[in-house]
C-alpha cells in the first residue's frame, strides 16, 4: 500500500487523514497505477484543520515525499507527449493544481513537465506553443525527447529548436536530451519519388581533421543536420542518448549502431514487409553512437556529387 511507503512522522499530517485505513475496513484493492493515482489525488482534497494538533500542510512535507505524491497524481508514468489525447486527463489535473497557489505551481510544474516528448511529425499546436510561447513552462523540463523523421523534420533543428533549447539550458532545468530518428516504414520507398536533392549521394570529406572520404547523403553537410550535431555535442547536457527505429532505416546509420546492434538490425530484414502493428505500434529502437557520429560528420563537406542512376 502507498501508506506503508510514507514515514510514520509524515502520516501524522492532516493531508493523509483522508486516506488512513481503519482496522475494521475491508482489505484494500491490489496496488495499480490507477489506484495509486486516485489515492494521491485524494490526498489533495480539503480536510478540516485541527489547530490543537498543530499539523502542517502539504507545503511543509519533505520535498521527496511531495514529489512522490505529485508523480502519482499528475504524471502518466512515461514521458509526457505533447498533444497526445491519452495524457489529457493528467494535464487537466495538473492545471487544477497549478491554479491552487504559486508554491503549488512550482512544486507541480517541476514534476509534471520534468520529461517531455515531442513527436515532430505530428507536431500539434500545443507542442508549437510550448516552444514558441512567451509564457511557456518549458524551463521546468529536465529531460527532453525529440522524435523526428529526417526528410520531413530535420529543418526544425535549424528553424525551431535552437533558440528555445538554448534558453532552456541557460535559464531552465534542462539536463538530458534524447533524440529518436523515425522511419517511413512500411512504405516501399523511404522518401517517395523523386527523392529530394539533399538526399542524393555524394563523396564527402569527413572526420575530425577532414582527412577522410566516404560516399554518403548530402543532407549531413547542410545546416539543419549540422545544427543537430552541435546540439548533441553541447557540453551543458549531463546526458545525451540517440536512437533509430530498427525497421527500414537508412543504411548510413548502420556504421553508428552500438556494439552488436547490426545483428539486431538484420533481424528485421525479410521478404514480408513488417508493419508497426507487428510491434504493438512501436518500432524497436537501436542505440546510435552519437559521439562518433559528431566526430565523423561535424563540418563535413561535399567533394563530388555522385551521378544519378
Amino acid at each position: 500500500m502507498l501508506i506503508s511507503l510514507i514515514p510514520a512522522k509524515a502520516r501524522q499530517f492532516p493531508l493523509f487523514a483522508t486516506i488512513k485505513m481503519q482496522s475494521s475496513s475491508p482489505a484494500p484493492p491490489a496496488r495499480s497505477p490507477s489506484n495509486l493515482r486516485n489515492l494521491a489525488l485524494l490526498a489533495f482534497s480539503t480536510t478540516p484543520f485541527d489547530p490543537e494538533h498543530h499539523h502542517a500542510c502539504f507545503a511543509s512535507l519533505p520535498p521527496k515525499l511531495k514529489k512522490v505524491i505529485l508523480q502519482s497524481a499528475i504524471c502518466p508514468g512515461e514521458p509526457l507527449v505533447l498533444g497526445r489525447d491519452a495524457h489529457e486527463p493528467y494535464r487537466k489535473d495538473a492545471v487544477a493544481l497549478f491554479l491552487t497557489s504559486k508554491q503549488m505551481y512550482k512544486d507541480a510544474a517541476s514534476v509534471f513537465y520534468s520529461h517531455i516528448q515531442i513527436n515532430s511529425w505530428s507536431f500539434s499546436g500545443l507542442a508549437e506553443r510550448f516552444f514558441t510561447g512567451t509564457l511557456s513552462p518549458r524551463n521546468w523540463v529536465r529531460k527532453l525527447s525529440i522524435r523526428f523523421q529526417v526528410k520531413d523534420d530535420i529543418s526544425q533543428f535549424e528553424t525551431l529548436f535552437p533558440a528555445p533549447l538554448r534558453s532552456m539550458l541557460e535559464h531552465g532545468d534542462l539536463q538530458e536530451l534524447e533524440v529518436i530518428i523515425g522511419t517511413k516504414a512500411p512504405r516501399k520507398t523511404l522518401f517517395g519519388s523523386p527523392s529530394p536533392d539533399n538526399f542524393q549521394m555524394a563523396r564527402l570529406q569527413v572526420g575530425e581533421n577532414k582527412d577522410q572520404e566516404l560516399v554518403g547523403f548530402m543532407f549531413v553537410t547542410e545546416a539543419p543536420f549540422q545544427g543537430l550535431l552541435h546540439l548533441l555535442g553541447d557540453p551543458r547536457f549531463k546526458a545525451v542518448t540517440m536512437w533509430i527505429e530498427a525497421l527500414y532505416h537508412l543504411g548510413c546509420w548502420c556504421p553508428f549502431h552500438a556494439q552488436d546492434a547490426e545483428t539486431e538490425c538484420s533481424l528485421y530484414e525479410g521478404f514480408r514487409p513488417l508493419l508497426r502493428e507487428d510491434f504493438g505500434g512501436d518500432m524497436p529502437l537501436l542505440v546510435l553512437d552519437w559521439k562518433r557520429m559528431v566526430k565523423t560528420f561535424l563540418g563535413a563537406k561535399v567533394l563530388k556529387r555522385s551521378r544519378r542512376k
Side-chain angles (χ1 to χ4, degrees):
M1 289 177 54
L2 181 61
I3 296 296
S4 65
L5 302 177
I6 301 172
K9 184 177 180 181
R11 287 181 233 165
Q12 299 173 4
F13 291 95
L15 171 68
F16 297 102
T18 58
I19 57 176
K20 284 184 178 179
M21 298 294 180
Q22 301 296 329
S23 58
S24 58
S25 62
R31 285 179 60 183
S32 69
S34 59
N35 288 336
L36 288 176
R37 181 168 176 269
N38 290 335
L39 285 173
L41 286 174
L42 188 60
F44 289 110
S45 62
T46 304
T47 56
F49 179 71
D50 184 356
E52 295 182 2
H53 293 85
H54 303 287
H55 287 162
C57 62
F58 176 80
S60 300
L61 292 174
K64 289 184 178 180
L65 183 54
K66 287 196 291 185
K67 183 178 179 180
V68 169
I69 296 172
L70 288 167
Q71 284 176 332
S72 298
I74 60 177
C75 291
E78 57 185 350
L80 177 67
V81 182
L82 296 183
R84 177 178 287 181
D85 292 341
H87 291 171
E88 182 64 16
Y90 295 93
R91 190 186 70 82
K92 290 181 177 179
D93 291 338
V95 170
L97 290 180
F98 294 163
L99 298 176
T100 303
S101 67
K102 290 183 178 180
Q103 184 59 48
M104 179 59 78
Y105 172 75
K106 292 180 180 179
D107 292 337
S110 65
V111 172
F112 184 68
Y113 293 112
S114 61
H115 186 184
I116 294 292
Q117 180 172 310
I118 301 293
N119 287 343
S120 293
W121 59 77
S122 57
F123 215 66
S124 67
L126 178 63
E128 188 170 1
R129 289 194 300 272
F130 185 83
F131 274 100
T132 59
T134 56
L135 298 178
S136 169
R138 55 182 172 267
N139 283 348
W140 294 111
V141 178
R142 294 177 60 86
K143 180 176 181 179
L144 176 65
S145 299
I146 302 176
R147 198 170 192 136
F148 73 102
Q149 294 168 347
V150 174
K151 174 181 176 290
D152 298 327
D153 310 315
I154 190 64
S155 63
Q156 293 173 353
F157 288 94
E158 180 185 15
T159 60
L160 178 64
F161 295 139
L165 290 184
R166 197 160 46 241
S167 174
M168 292 165 71
L169 283 168
E170 294 173 357
H171 308 294
D173 294 333
L174 186 59
Q175 298 181 10
E176 298 181 49
L177 175 67
E178 180 181 55
V179 176
I180 305 169
I181 302 176
T183 67
K184 288 289 189 179
R187 296 187 182 179
K188 188 174 182 180
T189 59
L190 288 171
F191 305 114
S193 180
S195 297
D197 286 342
N198 62 347
F199 281 86
Q200 301 302 317
M201 304 297 288
R203 184 167 293 280
L204 309 178
Q205 187 179 51
V206 300
E208 286 188 277
N209 301 317
K210 303 300 173 288
D211 55 355
Q212 304 174 37
E213 294 185 14
L214 58 80
V215 175
F217 288 100
M218 293 174 60
F219 75 81
V220 302
T221 68
E222 299 184 351
F225 189 79
Q226 290 293 310
L228 169 61
L229 296 179
H230 280 289
L231 181 64
L232 293 170
D234 194 315
R236 291 173 292 184
F237 284 113
K238 293 185 178 180
V240 176
T241 51
M242 192 173 190
W243 306 84
I244 181 96
E245 288 187 346
L247 187 61
Y248 299 132
H249 61 256
L250 289 172
C252 64
W253 306 120
C254 292
F256 302 100
H257 284 324
Q259 186 176 7
D260 297 329
E262 288 187 34
T263 303
E264 295 182 54
C265 176
S266 65
L267 292 177
Y268 304 111
E269 296 176 0
F271 295 103
R272 184 181 74 84
L274 296 175
L275 307 178
R276 290 183 183 275
E277 288 73 16
D278 292 330
F279 304 99
D282 293 321
M283 291 289 184
L285 299 176
L286 301 177
V287 66
L288 293 176
D289 187 345
W290 65 266
K291 292 182 179 180
R292 190 153 59 91
M293 186 183 298
V294 170
K295 289 181 179 179
T296 301
F297 290 132
L298 188 62
K301 298 179 180 179
V302 175
L303 291 178
K304 185 178 180 181
R305 186 167 177 168
S306 299
R307 294 180 179 180
R308 295 191 183 187
K309 295 184 179 180

